[in-house]
Amino acid sequence: MSSSASRPRRPVAGERARSRAAGDAVGPKATAAPPSPHAAPPAVPLPAPAPPVAAPPAPKAPETAPVASGSRRWAAPVAALVASLALLAVLLGVTWQDPQQQSNTDRVAASAARASIEQMLSYNYKTIDAQAAQIETLLTGPFKAEFTSAMDKEIKPLAVKNQTVVEAKVSDIGVMSSSGSTVRVLAFVNQARVGADHTTPAVDQNRVIATMSKVGDRWLVSKVEAF
């Protein structure tokens, strides 16, 4: 008995049609037509939209400092006021002095200036050396050396040559300014002069500004300006 494998298989109904359909499906693919030169170019892909930007956070309101107590609120302004007044006093040289005491100081300084000016502007050719030595004790500072030099080089030679005698009198004197140990005075001086060249007395009227400086317990002349 022959095996069933050698027998031809009967076609199954519909198999042919399916084979043809399958053959059509697996047959060669149609070739695509070449692109036309007038065809539109491919569309450019648009970029993706950017993600939305988050808005910056709103600034925080400044924190309000706690209100200080009454003593702290007044401490800073009072300290600033005291410092300002102290600085003003230093800059202006303001020092409190009793008006009566200042008046006494000015009077003593003016009295010393009167006596010193009269001696300084008076001389006698016969005793001029002794007078110059006495006058130097009334002076102080660089002005002392200036006076000595002028006496030796200018005043003495002319006084001896012309046998000159000069007597000075302060007709009026007043305080111009005063500060601490320095007082400036204005003096009106009359000088009567006689000599070999002037037998009749000649009176010269001068105005002198003298600066008096307190040295120890004395008021000495530290500067003289004549005009």
Side-chain angles (χ1 to χ4, degrees):
M1 186 177 64
S2 60
S3 68
S4 61
S6 61
R7 294 178 184 178
R9 186 175 61 83
R10 288 182 179 184
V12 181
E15 179 179 7
R16 188 180 187 88
R18 287 194 300 271
S19 299
R20 187 179 297 114
D24 293 343
V26 298
K29 297 181 179 179
T31 305
S36 173
H38 302 286
V44 179
L46 298 176
V53 180
K60 294 182 179 181
E63 298 181 0
T64 304
V67 179
S69 61
S71 60
R72 292 183 179 180
R73 286 198 305 267
W74 287 103
V78 171
L81 179 60
V82 172
S84 300
L85 292 177
L87 179 60
L88 181 62
V90 171
L91 293 177
L92 299 180
V94 176
T95 56
W96 170 254
Q97 288 186 346
D98 183 8
Q100 184 62 37
Q101 179 182 357
Q102 185 62 47
S103 178
N104 293 337
T105 298
D106 293 347
R107 185 168 56 254
V108 172
S111 178
R114 177 188 291 270
S116 298
I117 291 172
E118 289 182 347
Q119 291 188 54
M120 221 176 12
L121 301 182
S122 299
Y123 55 86
N124 188 319
Y125 75 98
K126 295 179 180 179
T127 58
I128 194 168
D129 290 332
Q131 287 178 311
Q134 185 177 2
I135 293 172
E136 289 179 359
T137 63
L138 307 175
L139 313 178
T140 187
F143 179 69
K144 185 175 183 178
E146 294 175 6
F147 175 83
T148 302
S149 176
M151 176 62 75
D152 293 340
K153 296 179 180 179
E154 300 174 16
I155 300 175
K156 181 181 176 179
L158 288 176
V160 172
K161 176 182 179 181
N162 297 321
Q163 300 179 355
T164 305
V165 176
V166 177
E167 183 178 1
K169 288 293 182 181
V170 175
S171 61
D172 197 8
I173 191 169
V175 174
M176 298 177 62
S177 63
S178 61
S179 59
S181 59
T182 302
V183 176
R184 297 181 72 217
V185 299
L186 173 62
F188 294 86
V189 185
N190 296 326
Q191 285 181 296
R193 177 171 56 88
V194 294
D197 56 342
H198 287 87
T199 56
T200 302
V203 178
D204 298 327
Q205 295 180 335
N206 300 297
R207 290 177 296 177
V208 175
I209 297 177
T211 302
M212 308 298 292
S213 299
K214 187 71 173 294
V215 180
D217 59 350
R218 301 178 62 199
W219 287 97
L220 303 179
V221 181
S222 59
K223 186 177 182 180
V224 169
E225 303 170 75
F227 62 97

